[in-house]
Amino acid sequence: MGLDQPATSGLSRQFTLVNRDHFPRQNTLDMAKPSQLVVAPGTALEPRPKPAYFAVDQRVADPEKELRLRFETFVETRLGPSFLLSIPGGSVLTQGFFVADQDDNLLVDSFRAYGQVGRYGFNEIKPRVVQRNFPPSIPQRGSAIVLGIQTNANYFHWLMEALPRLWLANRFESLGKSVVLVPDLTPWMRDMLTATDVKPGRLALLSAEATSWETLAMPSRGLANIHTFTWHALQLMDMLRARVKIGRRCGTPAFRIQIEVSFAANRK
């Protein structure tokens, strides 16, 4: 499925960084107004134990500093919250799938690390305010679900950060006909997406720099941060694990999840 394209470019837009609590919490999903539905809260803070062993790639800028960081003990959650935001008139920006509401509030929950903001061309002009040039955004009809992330082509992040968004959205019958916004899919990305039961006709390639929707649903990512998974990421893994077992009993696995480094060259 293709999206309408703007004809001209070059409009400067400023965005204020906000988190999900900018949206009022609701007990049920209401796509008609800005809202936040928490499906599963995050777990309590607790110290993260030091790893027994951690290998650092010597090509990093400062290996010793990187090693100290990895072995540092600090307080964090065991599971991040699983939530879904309803954003009427919401926009999806760049191939990094940044999300903003119609008042140009940019959701920090739509990206994992602040460094991604600069990577995708946003410039910080003062604290919590960024600016970027965009072509005019042509409104798209209907509702859409944000699936993509900033690191879509990374096997781990596609599996553990992006795909759990679809698992969470699939829990809501009212989103059953919403289009699913995806990046340009490689064969292995498409295979993994197929395993989540999404119908191909619902997929919409995000090819424009800025698109806005009558109603936009933004499920939380499967990674709250690089150390912290969310409840729905683990639920997706349980579903895939169960299907692998069923496939093996039938003699042919339904799909394959590759995690070994030796298979890296085959992930195309």
Side-chain angles (χ1 to χ4, degrees), residues 191 194-195 240 243-248 250-256:
D191 288 344
T194 300
L240 297 180
R243 292 185 178 184
V244 168
K245 291 180 180 178
I246 292 173
R248 285 175 178 168
C250 297
T252 305
F255 57 91
R256 177 176 59 183

Side-chain angles (χ1 to χ4, degrees), residues 61-210:
D62 190 338
E64 292 186 5
K65 181 178 180 181
E66 184 74 13
L67 192 62
R68 289 196 302 271
L69 173 65
R70 298 301 180 180
F71 276 95
E72 181 182 357
T73 298
F74 53 88
V75 173
E76 67 177 7
T77 58
R78 294 193 65 187
L79 283 179
S82 299
F83 59 88
L84 191 142
L85 298 181
S86 167
I87 313 174
S91 296
V92 184
L93 308 170
T94 80
Q95 296 300 300
F97 289 78
F98 294 86
V99 174
D101 65 11
Q102 56 190 346
D103 296 322
D104 280 349
N105 292 303
L106 186 67
L107 272 296
V108 298
D109 301 278
S110 65
F111 53 88
R112 186 181 68 257
Y114 187 66
Q116 297 288 346
V117 175
R119 175 185 173 187
Y120 281 89
F122 293 88
N123 299 307
E124 186 178 58
I125 57 177
K126 60 182 179 180
R128 304 192 68 82
V129 177
V130 296
Q131 177 272 336
R132 190 185 189 279
N133 289 342
F134 279 103
S137 178
I138 296 179
Q140 308 289 334
R141 296 180 179 178
S143 63
I145 299 167
V146 181
L147 177 64
I149 54 174
Q150 290 79 54
T151 47
N152 294 298
N154 180 289
Y155 189 87
F156 169 79
H157 287 283
W158 180 248
L159 175 64
M160 297 301 299
E161 186 174 2
L163 292 188
R165 293 181 128 177
L166 186 57
W167 186 95
L168 186 60
N170 283 343
R171 308 280 70 78
F172 299 92
E173 185 177 351
S174 59
L175 297 177
K177 295 184 179 180
S178 301
V179 300
V180 179
L181 301 178
V182 298
D184 191 16
L185 299 171
T186 64
W188 63 263
M189 291 169 70
R190 189 176 295 277
D191 288 344
M192 294 166 67
L193 190 55
T194 300
T196 64
D197 292 334
V198 64
K199 295 180 179 179
R202 292 182 60 197
L203 303 181
L205 175 64
L206 186 70
S207 55
E209 281 287 277

